[in-house]
């Protein structure tokens, strides 16, 4: 659950990411995550799809599983394809079930994976997949993390099984769908999943200083991103979404901001 360093727009809502914050998050990721110990180049830092493919997948899940849109969770798994050397995501669509009140200020939802559906978002395509692992083994094997970019000290992600983010959960209606609606529900929109990193509260929401998070943002039919630094009454207008619950340390749940 990333915690932003600077809030550029007129909202204090932690779900919202401005253009400058997005750019900073992309740069942070590049400073802390490396493909192979030799720091080889790789692609897929921004993975693209069509909004309609995501919308249709969620609608199909809601119809077949009998789940209302307000209870849908999107769980994204960090993945990597060594050939040609690109990151991508797998997506599990499942249900959020509220936990009983615990006396804390946090609203926590368990993830019910009964009738869950899986998709692969890769190379601009959005397709069903039988792969239901909650981690990407090639991603964990091939990527390394540096706390301090100027040093040579790095750790292979697979050697920190309880430290590095394997997957993260977003609420469909209250974050992703709301972002789409507050940008005018654009026809033929693209949706983009970008590798970003922000400092996080430790140890409650992340187990490393710079967790591998994600910013989700939209683009119009010409590919122009809905991202800027201006102020709006609606919080997601020309803004991205980044408030996902990171696993580890919080697995099998969504924690509302």
């Amino acid at each position: 659950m990333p915690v932003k360093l600077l809030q550029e727009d007129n909202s204090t809502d932690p779900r919202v990411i401005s253009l400058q914050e997005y750019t900073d998050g992309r740069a942070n990721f590049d400073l802390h995550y490396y493909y192979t110990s030799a720091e080889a180049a790789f692609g897929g830092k921004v993975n693209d799809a069509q909004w309609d493919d995501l919308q249709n997948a969620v609608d199909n899940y809601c119809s077949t599983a009998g789940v209302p849109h307000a209870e849908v969770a999107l769980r994204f798994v960090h993945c990597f394809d060594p050939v040609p050397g690109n990151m991508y995501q797998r997506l599990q669509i499942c249900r959020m079930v509220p936990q009983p009140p615990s006396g804390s200020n946090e609203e926590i939802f368990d993830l019910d994976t009964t009738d869950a559906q899986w998709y692969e978002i890769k190379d601009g395509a959005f397709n069903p997949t039988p792969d239901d692992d909650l981690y990407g083994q090639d991603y964990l094997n091939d990527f390394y993390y540096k706390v301090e970019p100027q040093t040579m000290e790095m750790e292979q992600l697979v050697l920190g099984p309880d430290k590095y983010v394997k997957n993260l959960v977003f609420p469909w209606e209250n974050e992703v769908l709301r972002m789409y609606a507050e940008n005018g529900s654009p026809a033929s929109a693209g949706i983009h999943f970008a590798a970003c990193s922000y400092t996080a509260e430790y140890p409650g929401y992340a187990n490393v200083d710079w967790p591998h998070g994600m910013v989700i943002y939209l683009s119009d039919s010409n590919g122009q991103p809905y991202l800027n630094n201006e102020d709006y009454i609606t919080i997601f207008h020309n803004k991205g979404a980044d408030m996902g619950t990171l696993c580890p340390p919080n697995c099998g749940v969504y924690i509302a901001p």
Side-chain angles (χ1 to χ4, degrees):
M1 186 175 290
V3 177
K4 296 176 291 182
L5 299 175
L6 179 67
Q7 184 70 35
E8 294 289 346
D9 69 342
N10 63 340
S11 169
T12 58
D13 194 299
R15 293 169 295 181
V16 175
I17 284 287
S18 68
L19 174 60
Q20 184 60 57
E21 290 169 336
Y22 167 72
T23 302
D24 292 344
R26 291 285 310 280
N28 293 337
F29 177 82
D30 289 341
L31 287 172
H32 296 280
Y33 290 86
Y34 300 87
Y35 172 44
T36 77
S37 59
E39 303 180 16
F42 63 97
K45 296 178 185 180
V46 181
N47 200 14
D48 309 315
Q50 293 300 305
W51 171 264
D52 287 347
D53 288 336
L54 176 60
Q55 178 77 70
N56 291 338
V58 172
D59 288 345
N60 180 68
Y61 167 73
C62 291
S63 176
T64 58
V67 174
H69 280 250
E71 298 177 9
V72 172
L74 306 179
R75 176 155 49 181
F76 295 90
V77 180
H78 294 319
C79 298
F80 185 76
D81 186 354
V83 180
N86 290 332
M87 291 194 302
Y88 66 99
Q89 288 84 35
R90 280 185 291 106
L91 167 64
Q92 182 189 52
I93 304 176
C94 59
R95 186 173 196 167
M96 300 188 302
V97 179
Q99 291 184 0
S102 63
S104 73
N105 293 326
E106 290 184 324
E107 188 176 12
I108 302 176
F109 299 81
D110 291 319
L111 300 185
D112 180 357
T113 59
T114 305
D115 300 320
Q117 296 179 5
W118 281 91
Y119 294 85
E120 183 180 82
I121 309 171
K122 184 179 182 182
D123 300 328
F126 192 103
N127 293 308
T129 178
D131 189 347
D132 59 1
D133 286 334
L134 292 175
Y135 60 90
Q137 192 63 58
D138 287 327
Y139 165 76
L140 296 173
N141 288 343
D142 292 341
F143 275 81
Y144 290 73
Y145 173 79
K146 285 185 182 181
V147 179
E148 299 294 340
Q150 66 271 21
T151 72
M152 295 301 294
E153 296 180 10
M154 59 172 63
E155 182 176 52
Q156 190 178 12
L157 302 193
V158 74
L159 298 181
D162 298 322
K163 292 172 63 175
Y164 299 108
V165 176
K166 300 179 179 69
N167 60 71
L168 62 167
V169 179
F170 287 77
W172 163 249
E173 184 175 83
N174 202 30
E175 189 161 353
V176 180
L177 183 60
R178 182 174 176 179
M179 176 180 64
Y180 178 70
E182 291 186 357
N183 282 287
S185 302
S188 303
I191 185 166
H192 310 274
F193 308 94
C196 290
S197 185
Y198 302 92
T199 54
E201 295 178 13
Y202 178 88
Y205 296 124
N207 290 335
V208 293
D209 292 338
W210 297 93
H212 178 179
M214 178 191 294
V215 168
I216 303 175
Y217 67 93
L218 298 168
S219 64
D220 64 20
S221 59
N222 295 316
Q224 180 65 34
Y226 286 93
L227 286 173
N228 67 23
N229 297 316
E230 298 176 19
D231 294 349
Y232 297 96
I233 296 175
T234 57
I235 64 170
F236 279 111
H237 189 196
N238 284 316
K239 302 294 182 289
D242 91 314
M243 188 49 62
T245 297
L246 307 179
C247 170
N250 296 298
C251 297
V253 296
Y254 170 69
I255 303 175

